[in-house]
Coordinates of all heavy atoms in Angstrom, one line a residue:
M182 N 111.6 83.6 109.5 CA 110.1 83.6 109.9 C 109.3 83.3 108.6 O 109.6 83.9 107.6 CB 109.8 85.0 110.5 CG 108.3 85.2 110.6 SD 107.7 86.7 111.4 CE 107.9 86.2 113.1
T183 N 108.3 82.5 108.8 CA 107.4 82.3 107.7 C 106.1 83.1 107.9 O 105.8 83.6 109.0 CB 107.0 80.8 107.6 OG1 106.2 80.4 108.8 CG2 108.3 79.9 107.5
L184 N 105.3 83.1 106.9 CA 104.0 83.8 107.0 C 103.1 83.0 108.0 O 102.4 83.6 108.8 CB 103.3 83.9 105.6 CG 103.9 84.9 104.7 CD1 103.1 84.9 103.4 CD2 104.0 86.3 105.2
D185 N 103.3 81.7 108.0 CA 102.5 80.9 109.0 C 102.9 81.3 110.4 O 102.1 81.4 111.3 CB 102.7 79.4 108.8 CG 102.0 78.9 107.6 OD1 100.8 79.3 107.4 OD2 102.5 78.0 106.9
D186 N 104.2 81.5 110.7 CA 104.7 81.9 112.0 C 104.1 83.3 112.4 O 103.7 83.5 113.5 CB 106.3 82.0 112.0 CG 106.9 80.7 111.8 OD1 106.3 79.6 112.1 OD2 108.1 80.7 111.4
L187 N 104.2 84.2 111.4 CA 103.7 85.5 111.7 C 102.2 85.5 112.0 O 101.7 86.2 112.9 CB 104.0 86.5 110.5 CG 103.5 87.9 110.6 CD1 104.1 88.6 111.9 CD2 103.9 88.7 109.4
Y188 N 101.4 84.7 111.2 CA 100.0 84.7 111.4 C 99.7 84.0 112.8 O 98.8 84.5 113.5 CB 99.4 83.8 110.3 CG 97.9 84.0 110.2 CD1 97.2 85.2 109.9 CD2 97.0 82.9 110.5 CE1 95.9 85.3 109.9 CE2 95.7 83.0 110.5 CZ 95.1 84.2 110.2 OH 93.7 84.3 110.1
A189 N 100.4 83.0 113.2 CA 100.3 82.4 114.5 C 100.5 83.4 115.6 O 99.7 83.5 116.6 CB 101.2 81.2 114.6
T190 N 101.5 84.3 115.4 CA 101.8 85.3 116.4 C 100.6 86.3 116.5 O 100.2 86.7 117.6 CB 103.1 86.0 116.1 OG1 104.2 85.1 116.1 CG2 103.4 87.1 117.1
I191 N 100.1 86.7 115.3 CA 99.0 87.6 115.3 C 97.8 87.0 116.0 O 97.1 87.7 116.8 CB 98.7 88.0 113.8 CG1 99.8 88.9 113.3 CG2 97.3 88.7 113.7 CD1 99.8 89.1 111.8
L192 N 97.5 85.8 115.7 CA 96.3 85.1 116.3 C 96.5 85.0 117.8 O 95.5 85.2 118.6 CB 96.1 83.7 115.7 CG 95.6 83.7 114.3 CD1 95.5 82.2 113.8 CD2 94.3 84.4 114.1
A193 N 97.7 84.8 118.3 CA 98.0 84.7 119.7 C 97.8 86.0 120.4 O 97.5 86.0 121.6 CB 99.5 84.2 119.9
R194 N 97.9 87.1 119.7 CA 97.7 88.4 120.3 C 96.3 88.9 120.1 O 96.0 90.0 120.6 CB 98.7 89.4 119.7 CG 100.1 88.9 120.1 CD 101.2 90.0 120.0 NE 102.4 89.4 120.5 CZ 103.6 89.5 119.8 NH1 103.6 90.1 118.6 NH2 104.7 89.0 120.3
K195 N 95.5 88.2 119.4 CA 94.1 88.6 119.1 C 93.3 89.0 120.4 O 92.5 89.9 120.4 CB 93.4 87.6 118.3 CG 92.1 88.1 117.6 CD 91.6 87.1 116.6 CE 90.4 87.7 116.0 NZ 89.8 86.8 115.0
D196 N 93.5 88.2 121.4 CA 92.7 88.4 122.7 C 93.6 89.0 123.8 O 93.2 89.0 124.9 CB 92.1 87.1 123.1 CG 91.0 86.6 122.2 OD1 90.3 87.4 121.6 OD2 91.0 85.4 121.9
A197 N 94.8 89.5 123.4 CA 95.7 90.1 124.4 C 95.2 91.4 124.8 O 94.4 92.1 124.1 CB 97.1 90.1 123.9
D198 N 95.7 91.9 125.9 CA 95.5 93.3 126.4 C 96.0 94.3 125.4 O 97.2 94.2 125.0 CB 96.1 93.4 127.8 CG 96.0 94.8 128.3 OD1 95.4 95.7 127.7 OD2 96.4 95.0 129.5
P199 N 95.2 95.1 124.9 CA 95.7 96.1 123.9 C 96.8 96.9 124.3 O 97.6 97.4 123.5 CB 94.4 97.0 123.6 CG 93.3 96.1 123.9 CD 93.8 95.3 125.1
S200 N 97.0 97.1 125.6 CA 98.2 97.9 126.0 C 99.5 97.1 126.0 O 100.6 97.6 126.1 CB 98.0 98.4 127.5 OG 98.0 97.3 128.4
S201 N 99.4 95.8 125.7 CA 100.5 94.9 125.7 C 101.2 94.8 124.3 O 102.3 94.3 124.2 CB 100.2 93.5 126.2 OG 99.3 92.8 125.3
S202 N 100.5 95.1 123.2 CA 101.1 94.9 121.9 C 100.4 95.8 120.8 O 99.2 96.0 120.9 CB 101.1 93.5 121.5 OG 99.9 93.1 120.8
W203 N 101.1 96.1 119.8 CA 100.6 96.9 118.7 C 99.5 96.1 118.0 O 98.4 96.6 117.6 CB 101.7 97.3 117.7 CG 101.1 97.8 116.4 CD1 101.3 97.2 115.2 CD2 100.4 99.0 116.2 NE1 100.7 97.9 114.2 CE2 100.1 99.0 114.8 CE3 99.9 100.0 117.0 CZ2 99.4 100.1 114.2 CZ3 99.2 101.1 116.4 CH2 98.9 101.1 115.0
T204 N 99.8 94.8 117.8 CA 98.8 93.9 117.1 C 97.5 93.9 117.9 O 96.4 94.0 117.3 CB 99.4 92.5 117.0 OG1 100.6 92.6 116.2 CG2 98.4 91.6 116.3
A205 N 97.6 93.7 119.2 CA 96.3 93.7 120.0 C 95.6 95.0 119.9 O 94.4 95.0 119.9 CB 96.7 93.3 121.5
Q206 N 96.3 96.1 119.9 CA 95.7 97.4 119.8 C 95.0 97.5 118.5 O 93.8 98.0 118.4 CB 96.8 98.6 119.9 CG 97.3 98.8 121.2 CD 98.3 100.0 121.2 OE1 98.3 100.8 120.3 NE2 99.2 100.0 122.2
L207 N 95.6 97.2 117.4 CA 95.0 97.3 116.1 C 93.8 96.4 116.0 O 92.8 96.8 115.5 CB 96.1 96.9 115.0 CG 95.8 97.2 113.6 CD1 95.4 98.6 113.4 CD2 97.0 96.8 112.8
L208 N 93.9 95.2 116.4 CA 92.8 94.2 116.4 C 91.6 94.7 117.2 O 90.4 94.6 116.9 CB 93.2 92.8 116.8 CG 94.0 92.1 115.7 CD1 94.7 90.9 116.3 CD2 93.2 91.7 114.5
A209 N 91.9 95.4 118.4 CA 90.9 95.9 119.3 C 90.1 97.0 118.6 O 88.9 97.2 118.9 CB 91.5 96.3 120.6
K210 N 90.7 97.7 117.6 CA 90.0 98.8 116.9 C 89.0 98.3 115.9 O 88.3 99.1 115.3 CB 91.0 99.7 116.3 CG 91.8 100.5 117.4 CD 92.8 101.4 116.7 CE 93.6 102.1 117.8 NZ 94.7 102.9 117.3
G211 N 89.0 97.0 115.6 CA 88.1 96.4 114.7 C 88.6 96.2 113.3 O 89.6 96.7 112.9
P212 N 87.8 95.4 112.5 CA 88.3 95.0 111.1 C 88.4 96.2 110.2 O 89.2 96.2 109.3 CB 87.1 94.1 110.7 CG 86.4 93.6 111.9 CD 86.6 94.7 112.9
E213 N 87.5 97.2 110.4 CA 87.6 98.4 109.5 C 88.9 99.1 109.7 O 89.5 99.5 108.7 CB 86.4 99.3 109.8 CG 85.1 98.7 109.4 CD 84.5 97.8 110.5 OE1 85.1 97.7 111.7 OE2 83.5 97.2 110.3
K214 N 89.4 99.3 110.9 CA 90.7 100.0 111.1 C 91.8 99.1 110.6 O 92.8 99.6 110.0 CB 90.9 100.2 112.6 CG 92.1 101.0 112.9 CD 92.1 102.4 112.3 CE 93.3 103.2 112.7 NZ 93.3 104.5 112.1
C215 N 91.7 97.8 110.7 CA 92.7 96.9 110.2 C 92.8 97.0 108.7 O 93.9 97.1 108.1 CB 92.5 95.5 110.6 SG 92.5 95.2 112.4
A216 N 91.7 97.1 108.1 CA 91.6 97.3 106.6 C 92.2 98.6 106.2 O 93.0 98.7 105.2 CB 90.2 97.1 106.1
E217 N 91.9 99.6 106.9 CA 92.4 101.0 106.7 C 94.0 101.0 106.7 O 94.6 101.5 105.9 CB 91.8 102.0 107.6 CG 92.3 103.4 107.5 CD 91.8 104.3 108.6 OE1 90.7 104.1 109.0 OE2 92.6 105.3 108.9
K218 N 94.5 100.4 107.8 CA 96.0 100.3 108.0 C 96.6 99.5 106.8 O 97.7 99.9 106.3 CB 96.3 99.6 109.3 CG 96.6 100.5 110.4 CD 97.5 101.7 110.1 CE 98.9 101.5 110.4 NZ 99.8 102.6 110.1
F219 N 96.0 98.4 106.4 CA 96.5 97.7 105.3 C 96.5 98.5 104.0 O 97.5 98.6 103.3 CB 95.6 96.4 105.0 CG 96.0 95.7 103.7 CD1 97.2 95.0 103.6 CD2 95.1 95.8 102.6 CE1 97.5 94.4 102.4 CE2 95.4 95.2 101.5 CZ 96.6 94.5 101.3
G220 N 95.5 99.3 103.8 CA 95.5 100.2 102.6 C 96.5 101.2 102.7 O 97.2 101.5 101.7
E221 N 96.8 101.8 103.8 CA 97.8 102.8 104.0 C 99.2 102.2 103.6 O 100.0 102.8 103.0 CB 97.8 103.3 105.4 CG 96.7 104.2 105.8 CD 96.6 104.6 107.3 OE1 97.6 104.3 108.0 OE2 95.6 105.1 107.7
E222 N 99.4 101.0 104.2 CA 100.7 100.4 104.0 C 100.9 100.0 102.5 O 102.0 100.1 101.9 CB 100.9 99.2 104.9 CG 100.9 99.5 106.3 CD 102.0 100.4 106.8 OE1 103.0 100.5 106.1 OE2 101.8 101.1 107.8
A223 N 99.8 99.6 101.8 CA 99.9 99.2 100.4 C 100.3 100.4 99.6 O 101.1 100.4 98.7 CB 98.6 98.6 100.0
V224 N 99.7 101.6 99.9 CA 100.0 102.8 99.2 C 101.4 103.2 99.4 O 102.2 103.6 98.5 CB 99.0 104.0 99.6 CG1 99.5 105.3 99.1 CG2 97.6 103.7 99.1
E225 N 101.9 103.1 100.6 CA 103.3 103.4 100.9 C 104.3 102.5 100.1 O 105.3 102.9 99.6 CB 103.6 103.3 102.4 CG 102.9 104.4 103.2 CD 103.0 104.2 104.7 OE1 103.8 103.3 105.2 OE2 102.4 105.0 105.4
A226 N 103.9 101.2 100.0 CA 104.7 100.2 99.2 C 104.7 100.7 97.7 O 105.8 100.6 97.1 CB 104.2 98.8 99.4
I227 N 103.6 101.1 97.2 CA 103.5 101.5 95.8 C 104.4 102.7 95.6 O 105.1 102.8 94.6 CB 102.0 101.8 95.5 CG1 101.2 100.6 95.4 CG2 101.9 102.6 94.1 CD1 99.7 100.8 95.4
I228 N 104.4 103.6 96.5 CA 105.2 104.8 96.4 C 106.7 104.5 96.3 O 107.4 105.0 95.4 CB 104.9 105.8 97.5 CG1 103.5 106.4 97.4 CG2 106.0 106.9 97.6 CD1 103.0 107.2 98.6
E229 N 107.1 103.6 97.2 CA 108.5 103.2 97.2 C 108.9 102.4 95.9 O 110.0 102.5 95.4 CB 108.8 102.4 98.4 CG 108.7 103.2 99.7 CD 109.5 104.5 99.7 OE1 110.5 104.6 99.0 OE2 109.0 105.4 100.5
A230 N 107.9 101.6 95.4 CA 108.2 100.8 94.1 C 108.3 101.8 93.0 O 109.2 101.6 92.1 CB 107.0 99.9 93.9
V231 N 107.5 102.8 92.9 CA 107.6 103.8 91.9 C 108.9 104.6 92.0 O 109.6 104.9 91.0 CB 106.4 104.8 91.9 CG1 106.6 106.0 91.0 CG2 105.1 104.0 91.5
K232 N 109.3 104.9 93.2 CA 110.6 105.7 93.4 C 111.8 104.8 93.1 O 112.9 105.4 92.9 CB 110.6 106.2 94.9 CG 109.7 107.4 95.1 CD 109.6 107.8 96.6 CE 110.7 107.7 97.5 NZ 110.5 108.1 98.9
G233 N 111.6 103.5 93.2 CA 112.8 102.6 93.0 C 113.7 102.4 94.1 O 114.8 102.0 94.0
D234 N 113.2 102.8 95.3 CA 114.0 102.6 96.6 C 113.9 101.2 97.1 O 112.9 100.9 97.8 CB 113.6 103.6 97.6 CG 114.5 103.6 98.8 OD1 115.1 102.6 99.2 OD2 114.6 104.7 99.5
R235 N 114.8 100.3 96.7 CA 114.8 98.9 97.1 C 114.6 98.6 98.6 O 113.8 97.8 99.0 CB 116.0 98.2 96.5 CG 116.0 96.7 96.7 CD 117.3 96.1 96.2 NE 117.5 94.7 96.5 CZ 117.0 93.7 95.8 NH1 116.4 93.9 94.7 NH2 117.2 92.5 96.3
D236 N 115.5 99.3 99.4 CA 115.4 99.1 100.8 C 114.1 99.5 101.4 O 113.5 98.8 102.3 CB 116.6 99.8 101.5 CG 117.9 99.2 101.2 OD1 118.0 98.0 100.8 OD2 119.0 99.9 101.3
A237 N 113.6 100.7 101.0 CA 112.4 101.2 101.5 C 111.2 100.3 101.1 O 110.3 100.0 101.8 CB 112.1 102.6 101.0
L238 N 111.3 99.8 99.8 CA 110.2 98.9 99.3 C 110.2 97.6 100.1 O 109.2 97.1 100.5 CB 110.4 98.6 97.9 CG 109.4 97.6 97.2 CD1 108.0 98.0 97.5 CD2 109.7 97.4 95.8
T239 N 111.4 97.1 100.5 CA 111.5 95.9 101.3 C 110.8 96.1 102.6 O 110.0 95.3 103.1 CB 112.9 95.5 101.5 OG1 113.5 95.3 100.2 CG2 113.1 94.3 102.3
G240 N 111.1 97.2 103.3 CA 110.4 97.5 104.6 C 108.9 97.7 104.4 O 108.2 97.2 105.2
E241 N 108.5 98.4 103.4 CA 107.1 98.6 103.2 C 106.4 97.3 102.8 O 105.2 97.0 103.2 CB 106.8 99.6 102.1 CG 107.2 101.0 102.5 CD 106.6 101.6 103.8 OE1 105.5 101.1 104.2 OE2 107.1 102.5 104.4
A242 N 107.0 96.4 102.1 CA 106.5 95.1 101.7 C 106.2 94.3 103.0 O 105.2 93.6 103.1 CB 107.4 94.4 100.7
A243 N 107.2 94.3 103.9 CA 107.0 93.6 105.2 C 105.8 94.2 105.9 O 105.0 93.4 106.5 CB 108.3 93.8 106.0
D244 N 105.7 95.5 105.9 CA 104.5 96.1 106.6 C 103.2 95.7 105.9 O 102.2 95.4 106.6 CB 104.6 97.6 106.5 CG 105.7 98.2 107.4 OD1 106.2 97.5 108.3 OD2 106.0 99.4 107.2
V245 N 103.2 95.6 104.6 CA 102.0 95.2 103.8 C 101.6 93.7 104.2 O 100.5 93.4 104.5 CB 102.2 95.3 102.3 CG1 101.1 94.5 101.5 CG2 102.2 96.7 101.9
L246 N 102.6 92.8 104.2 CA 102.3 91.4 104.6 C 101.8 91.3 106.0 O 100.8 90.6 106.3 CB 103.6 90.6 104.4 CG 104.0 90.4 103.0 CD1 105.4 89.6 103.0 CD2 103.0 89.6 102.2
Y247 N 102.4 92.0 106.9 CA 102.0 92.0 108.3 C 100.5 92.5 108.4 O 99.6 91.9 109.0 CB 102.9 92.9 109.2 CG 102.3 93.2 110.5 CD1 102.2 92.3 111.6 CD2 101.7 94.5 110.8 CE1 101.6 92.6 112.8 CE2 101.2 94.8 112.0 CZ 101.1 93.9 113.0 OH 100.5 94.2 114.2
H248 N 100.2 93.7 107.8 CA 98.9 94.2 107.9 C 97.8 93.4 107.2 O 96.7 93.4 107.6 CB 98.9 95.7 107.5 CG 99.5 96.6 108.6 ND1 100.8 96.9 108.6 CD2 99.0 97.2 109.7 CE1 101.1 97.7 109.7 NE2 100.0 97.9 110.3
L249 N 98.3 92.8 106.1 CA 97.3 91.9 105.4 C 96.9 90.7 106.4 O 95.7 90.4 106.5 CB 98.0 91.3 104.2 CG 97.2 90.2 103.5 CD1 95.8 90.7 103.0 CD2 98.0 89.6 102.3
L250 N 97.9 90.2 107.1 CA 97.6 89.1 108.0 C 96.7 89.5 109.2 O 95.8 88.8 109.6 CB 98.9 88.4 108.5 CG 99.7 87.7 107.4 CD1 100.9 87.1 107.9 CD2 98.8 86.7 106.6
V251 N 97.0 90.7 109.6 CA 96.2 91.3 110.7 C 94.7 91.5 110.2 O 93.8 91.2 110.9 CB 96.7 92.7 111.2 CG1 95.8 93.4 112.2 CG2 98.1 92.4 111.9
M252 N 94.6 92.0 109.0 CA 93.2 92.2 108.4 C 92.5 90.8 108.3 O 91.3 90.7 108.6 CB 93.3 92.9 107.1 CG 92.0 93.2 106.4 SD 92.2 94.2 104.9 CE 93.1 93.0 103.9
L253 N 93.2 89.8 107.8 CA 92.6 88.5 107.7 C 92.2 88.0 109.1 O 91.1 87.5 109.3 CB 93.6 87.5 107.1 CG 94.0 87.7 105.6 CD1 95.1 86.7 105.2 CD2 92.7 87.6 104.7
A254 N 93.0 88.1 110.1 CA 92.7 87.7 111.5 C 91.5 88.5 112.0 O 90.7 87.9 112.7 CB 93.9 87.9 112.4
A255 N 91.4 89.7 111.7 CA 90.3 90.5 112.2 C 89.0 90.0 111.6 O 87.9 90.2 112.3 CB 90.5 92.0 111.8
R256 N 89.0 89.4 110.5 CA 87.8 88.9 109.9 C 87.7 87.3 109.9 O 86.9 86.7 109.3 CB 87.7 89.3 108.4 CG 87.3 90.8 108.2 CD 85.9 91.0 108.7 NE 85.4 92.3 108.4 CZ 84.4 92.9 109.0 NH1 83.7 92.2 109.9 NH2 84.0 94.1 108.7
D257 N 88.6 86.8 110.8 CA 88.6 85.3 111.0 C 88.8 84.5 109.7 O 88.1 83.5 109.5 CB 87.3 84.8 111.7 CG 87.2 85.5 113.1 OD1 88.3 85.5 113.8 OD2 86.1 85.9 113.5
V258 N 89.6 85.0 108.8 CA 90.0 84.3 107.6 C 91.3 83.6 107.8 O 92.3 84.3 107.9 CB 90.1 85.3 106.4 CG1 90.5 84.6 105.1 CG2 88.7 86.0 106.1
P259 N 91.3 82.3 107.8 CA 92.6 81.6 108.0 C 93.5 81.8 106.8 O 93.1 81.8 105.7 CB 92.2 80.1 108.1 CG 90.7 80.1 108.4 CD 90.2 81.4 107.7
L260 N 94.8 82.0 107.2 CA 95.8 82.1 106.1 C 95.8 80.9 105.2 O 96.0 81.0 104.0 CB 97.2 82.3 106.8 CG 98.4 82.3 105.8 CD1 98.2 83.5 104.8 CD2 99.7 82.5 106.6
S261 N 95.5 79.7 105.8 CA 95.5 78.5 105.0 C 94.4 78.5 103.9 O 94.6 78.0 102.8 CB 95.2 77.3 105.9 OG 94.0 77.4 106.6
D262 N 93.3 79.3 104.1 CA 92.3 79.4 103.1 C 92.9 80.2 101.9 O 92.6 79.9 100.8 CB 91.0 80.1 103.6 CG 90.2 79.2 104.5 OD1 90.6 78.0 104.8 OD2 89.2 79.7 105.0
V263 N 93.6 81.3 102.2 CA 94.2 82.1 101.2 C 95.3 81.3 100.4 O 95.3 81.3 99.2 CB 94.9 83.4 101.8 CG1 95.6 84.1 100.7 CG2 93.8 84.2 102.5
L264 N 96.1 80.5 101.1 CA 97.1 79.7 100.5 C 96.4 78.6 99.6 O 96.9 78.3 98.5 CB 98.1 79.1 101.5 CG 98.9 80.1 102.3 CD1 99.7 79.5 103.4 CD2 99.7 81.0 101.4
D265 N 95.3 78.0 100.1 CA 94.6 77.0 99.3 C 94.1 77.6 98.0 O 94.1 77.0 97.0 CB 93.5 76.4 100.1 CG 93.9 75.5 101.2 OD1 95.1 75.2 101.3 OD2 93.0 75.2 102.1
T266 N 93.6 78.9 98.1 CA 93.1 79.6 96.9 C 94.2 79.8 95.9 O 94.1 79.5 94.7 CB 92.4 80.9 97.3 OG1 91.3 80.6 98.1 CG2 92.0 81.7 96.1
L267 N 95.4 80.2 96.4 CA 96.5 80.4 95.5 C 97.0 79.0 94.9 O 97.3 79.0 93.7 CB 97.7 81.0 96.3 CG 97.6 82.4 96.7 CD1 98.7 82.8 97.6 CD2 97.6 83.3 95.4
A268 N 96.9 78.0 95.7 CA 97.3 76.7 95.1 C 96.3 76.2 94.0 O 96.8 75.7 93.0 CB 97.3 75.6 96.2
T269 N 95.1 76.5 94.2 CA 94.1 76.2 93.2 C 94.3 77.0 91.9 O 94.3 76.4 90.8 CB 92.7 76.5 93.7 OG1 92.4 75.7 94.8 CG2 91.6 76.2 92.6
R270 N 94.7 78.2 92.1 CA 94.9 79.1 90.9 C 96.2 78.7 90.2 O 96.4 79.0 89.0 CB 95.0 80.5 91.3 CG 93.6 81.1 91.8 CD 93.8 82.5 92.2 NE 92.5 83.0 92.7 CZ 92.4 84.2 93.2 NH1 93.4 85.1 93.3 NH2 91.2 84.7 93.6
Q271 N 97.1 78.1 90.9 CA 98.4 77.8 90.3 C 98.3 76.7 89.2 O 99.1 76.7 88.2 CB 99.4 77.2 91.4 CG 100.8 77.0 90.9 CD 101.7 76.5 92.0 OE1 101.2 76.2 93.1 NE2 103.0 76.6 91.7
S272 N 97.2 76.0 89.2 CA 97.0 74.9 88.2 C 96.5 75.4 86.9 O 96.3 74.7 85.9 CB 96.1 73.8 88.7 OG 94.8 74.4 89.0
Q273 N 96.2 76.7 86.8 CA 95.7 77.3 85.5 C 96.4 78.6 85.2 O 97.0 79.2 86.1 CB 94.2 77.5 85.5 CG 93.7 78.4 86.6 CD 92.2 78.5 86.7 OE1 91.6 78.7 85.6 NE2 91.6 78.5 87.9
S274 N 96.3 79.0 84.0 CA 97.0 80.3 83.7 C 96.2 81.4 84.4 O 95.0 81.4 84.6 CB 97.0 80.5 82.2 OG 95.7 81.0 81.7
G275 N 97.0 82.5 84.6 CA 96.4 83.7 85.2 C 95.3 84.3 84.4 O 94.3 84.8 84.9
I276 N 95.5 84.2 83.1 CA 94.5 84.8 82.1 C 93.2 84.0 82.2 O 92.1 84.6 82.3 CB 95.1 84.8 80.7 CG1 96.2 85.8 80.6 CG2 94.0 85.2 79.7 CD1 97.0 85.8 79.4
A277 N 93.3 82.7 82.2 CA 92.1 81.9 82.3 C 91.4 82.0 83.7 O 90.2 82.1 83.8 CB 92.5 80.4 82.1
E278 N 92.2 82.1 84.7 CA 91.6 82.2 86.1 C 90.9 83.5 86.2 O 89.8 83.6 86.7 CB 92.7 82.2 87.1 CG 92.2 82.1 88.6 CD 91.9 83.5 89.1 OE1 92.5 84.5 88.7 OE2 90.9 83.6 89.9
K279 N 91.4 84.6 85.7 CA 90.8 85.9 85.8 C 89.5 85.9 84.9 O 88.5 86.5 85.3 CB 91.7 87.0 85.3 CG 91.2 88.4 85.6 CD 92.2 89.5 85.5 CE 91.6 90.8 85.8 NZ 92.5 91.8 86.2
A280 N 89.5 85.3 83.8 CA 88.3 85.2 82.9 C 87.2 84.4 83.6 O 86.0 84.7 83.3 CB 88.7 84.6 81.6
S281 N 87.6 83.5 84.5 CA 86.5 82.7 85.1 C 85.8 83.4 86.2 O 84.8 82.9 86.7 CB 87.1 81.4 85.6 OG 87.9 81.6 86.8
R282 N 86.3 84.5 86.6 CA 85.7 85.3 87.7 C 84.5 86.1 87.3 O 84.4 86.5 86.2 CB 86.7 86.2 88.4 CG 87.7 85.5 89.2 CD 88.4 86.5 90.0 NE 89.9 86.4 89.8 CZ 90.8 87.2 90.2 NH1 90.5 88.3 90.8 NH2 92.1 87.0 90.0

């Protein structure tokens, strides 16, 4: 599965009946709830990274990616826009890019 595949699945469920899928339920609760869930999952990933539990971190990282894409969908931000931004940044050093912000 690619991130594009996952994002397409999330978008397909955006207007689905909330009783039919977790993604539809989450999106129906609004962008703020989607952002909150993303934050919770990010914290859980940090905890597993600090603990050094590779398997748990792998699972939490998957949750972070999923919830990031749900949050983007909730705010109608295309994944392609994020990937385009990353591609633009790839042409310069991270230090120079950060200094330009």
Side-chain angles (χ1 to χ4, degrees):
M182 169 176 276
T183 68
L184 291 179
D185 286 320
D186 294 339
L187 179 56
Y188 193 67
T190 299
I191 290 165
L192 291 178
R194 296 198 176 130
K195 194 169 182 180
D196 296 320
D198 178 354
S200 67
S201 68
S202 85
W203 167 248
T204 301
Q206 284 180 24
L207 193 53
L208 288 165
K210 292 178 182 178
E213 295 82 6
K214 183 63 176 178
C215 295
E217 179 185 326
K218 263 317 266 180
F219 170 71
E221 289 172 11
E222 297 300 336
V224 169
E225 290 172 9
I227 291 165
I228 291 167
E229 297 306 335
V231 170
K232 287 172 34 180
D234 186 332
R235 182 182 170 92
D236 290 338
L238 176 56
T239 300
E241 293 301 338
D244 291 346
V245 167
L246 290 174
Y247 164 77
H248 284 91
L249 172 61
L250 296 180
V251 170
M252 183 175 64
L253 293 174
R256 285 293 186 197
D257 298 317
V258 176
L260 176 58
S261 60
D262 287 1
V263 175
L264 297 177
D265 289 347
T266 298
L267 287 173
T269 300
R270 291 179 182 178
Q271 187 177 13
S272 65
Q273 61 182 317
S274 82
I276 293 170
E278 186 279 326
K279 188 166 183 161
S281 72
R282 288 193 233 168

